[in-house]
Amino acid sequence: LEYRHVDQVVLAAVYGVCKIHQAEVTFKDLVQAYKVLPDKNPQTWLQVPLARPGAFGNIISFYNDVFVPRCKDYLHGMKDATAITVSTPRAAQPPEPPSAPGTGQ
């Protein structure tokens, strides 16, 4: 997993853990949440180095072709770990509307 942006590895790891625990999370969900981060870069999910030198693909190709073959045993070892709860990240949720003046909230 060398020469990869740490965010690429984190996105793949989060997806892998969710998949092992059968959480209904897609890469689209993860990328949508990632897009709201202030230092996001589309290259993080669109131009990911793959196994062959000079080969690039998207985050899904990276997950299937590089991440899973190298981390499959580790991810399956997590299967028996404590169950996880998946919720929408705070940053991906729409902001709460401000309270009306004079309501005291």
Side-chain angles (χ1 to χ4, degrees):
L1 301 177
E2 300 171 322
Y3 310 110
R4 310 265 180 336
H5 192 287
V6 68
D7 291 353
Q8 294 165 341
V9 177
V10 169
L11 286 168
V14 168
Y15 180 77
V17 169
C18 289
K19 189 166 176 129
I20 288 295
H21 287 282
Q22 299 176 345
E24 293 184 22
V25 175
T26 66
F27 263 116
K28 183 177 180 179
D29 298 331
L30 295 176
V31 169
Q32 290 299 91
Y34 182 82
K35 284 180 179 180
V36 302
L37 298 176
D39 295 329
K40 69 190 172 290
N41 180 347
Q43 301 291 11
T44 302
W45 66 88
L46 296 175
Q47 285 290 105
V48 184
L50 299 178
R52 294 182 324 275
F56 290 86
N58 63 24
I59 192 71
I60 297 169
S61 298
F62 167 70
Y63 177 81
N64 290 323
D65 299 343
V66 179
F67 187 83
V68 169
R70 293 189 185 174
C71 299
K72 187 182 215 175
D73 293 338
Y74 182 75
L75 288 170
H76 281 289
M78 296 178 72
K79 193 171 192 172
D80 297 328
T82 306
I84 62 170
T85 302
V86 178
S87 61
T88 305
R90 180 86 177 130
Q93 296 175 351
E96 294 180 18
S99 58
T103 62
Q105 295 180 353

